[in-house]
Amino acid sequence: MTDGQRQYGPLGSTLVIIPTYNEAENIKPIVSRVRSSVPEAHVLIADDNSPDGTGKLADELAAEDDKVHVLHRRGKEGLGAAYLAGFRWGIENGHGVLVEMDADGSHQPEELPRLLTALKSADLVLGSRWVPGGRVVNWPKHREFLSRGGSTYSRLMLDVPIRDVTGGFRAFRAETLQGLGLDEVASQGYCFQVDLARRAVQAGYHVVEVPITFVERELGDSKMSRDIVVEALWRITSWGVGSKVSKIRGR
């Protein structure tokens, strides 16, 4: 610590984790954009046994580029499980930075260098749609309402000072992830992102939000579902009520 500020060590190598399920139309373009935007970064495609052949295309990319890797999973187990498997793979293989990124192009790889720059003086950096400078493109109003409302509800219920709690474009230091108790994380989808954010805040990590432009996918189908939204609402409410009860009992 110097002048009241933490001294951060070097970032180390970067691993961009891209979970896939039926992303055959998107996987090659998004990997190409990542490799062009951050040439020194490695990419891990975590494929949930996609029936459309995404896994085969991923293997072809890996055969052509030694910085592209593939983690074949048994089946569709959800976004959270895919990221957790990717985090473990990355940590085991010595990567110092682990990045969450969608396969559909909604997270723009060209913005990744700004997240990595911010991580030099942070434990976790969130690509945020809801801070000044952030925005969404081609989203229907009901999707924007759902996302804004979900982040606001999560922020108030969980008392976390983050504007975009549900966003999924993130860069973690490996040691941050190791301090979050990943073995206890069982949530999926939106809820998975909320869970990691609240754990980071509760653990006292320095979390920074960087504005991004989120672009609605052009190809393939969204994985958002009613079940994911219901799970998120239930878990966030449960965490929030539990935390408030604990604080009252502790007085």
Side-chain angles (χ1 to χ4, degrees):
M1 304 289 285
T2 301
D3 297 329
Q5 298 296 319
R6 174 180 162 187
Q7 288 288 318
Y8 287 89
L11 294 177
S13 63
T14 296
L15 178 70
V16 180
I17 303 167
I18 304 178
T20 56
Y21 184 78
N22 287 350
E23 296 287 358
E25 297 171 297
N26 293 312
I27 191 59
K28 287 191 175 183
I30 199 66
V31 169
S32 176
R33 290 171 64 189
V34 172
R35 296 288 292 114
S36 295
S37 299
V38 190
E40 68 276 13
H42 289 250
V43 177
L44 176 66
I45 303 164
D47 185 65
D48 277 6
N49 196 23
S50 300
D52 73 344
T54 301
K56 182 176 182 296
L57 294 175
D59 285 336
E60 292 173 3
L61 290 171
E64 298 168 358
D65 187 340
D66 62 5
K67 287 192 174 179
V68 177
H69 316 275
V70 186
L71 182 61
H72 290 284
R73 292 164 44 74
R74 291 177 298 179
K76 189 177 181 182
E77 298 178 1
L79 183 71
Y83 272 131
L84 289 172
F87 292 156
R88 294 187 181 102
W89 189 96
I91 291 169
E92 288 171 2
N93 283 275
H95 293 285
V97 176
L98 297 105
V99 174
E100 297 182 6
M101 178 180 288
D102 286 350
D104 59 16
S106 56
H107 299 149
Q108 299 187 84
E110 294 76 16
E111 296 185 312
L112 179 55
R114 289 194 294 111
L115 272 69
L116 296 177
T117 296
L119 193 63
K120 291 178 180 179
S121 56
D123 298 298
L124 163 61
V125 174
L126 311 180
S128 179
R129 298 159 290 186
W130 313 131
V131 296
R135 65 190 185 109
V136 296
V137 175
N138 296 331
W139 248 19
K141 285 297 182 184
H142 75 274
R143 283 289 302 278
E144 182 172 345
F145 175 79
L146 178 64
S147 180
R148 282 185 181 273
S151 278
T152 299
Y153 182 72
S154 300
R155 187 170 67 252
L156 295 175
M157 283 297 295
L158 303 176
D159 193 27
V160 293
I162 298 172
R163 304 297 299 181
D164 194 350
V165 190
T166 63
F169 192 12
R170 304 179 169 191
F172 296 84
R173 286 179 177 265
E175 57 264 33
T176 303
L177 284 169
Q178 291 172 309
L180 295 185
L182 294 182
D183 290 340
E184 301 169 7
V185 176
S187 47
Q188 301 295 329
Y190 267 16
C191 198
F192 173 77
Q193 307 296 7
V194 175
D195 196 1
L196 292 192
R198 77 178 181 101
R199 287 171 181 265
V201 171
Q202 290 173 351
Y205 288 118
H206 181 42
V207 181
V208 172
E209 291 186 87
V210 171
I212 62 166
T213 297
F214 182 98
V215 182
E216 176 69 335
R217 70 158 64 229
E218 294 182 358
L219 301 172
D221 298 319
S222 172
K223 308 305 186 294
M224 181 57 63
S225 69
R226 180 178 178 276
D227 288 346
I228 289 175
V229 174
V230 170
E231 183 215 8
L233 181 61
W234 179 82
R235 284 188 183 269
I236 291 164
T237 302
S238 176
W239 292 331
V241 171
S243 176
K244 294 179 191 311
V245 169
S246 295
K247 287 180 180 178
I248 291 172
R249 288 178 174 173
R251 288 177 182 171

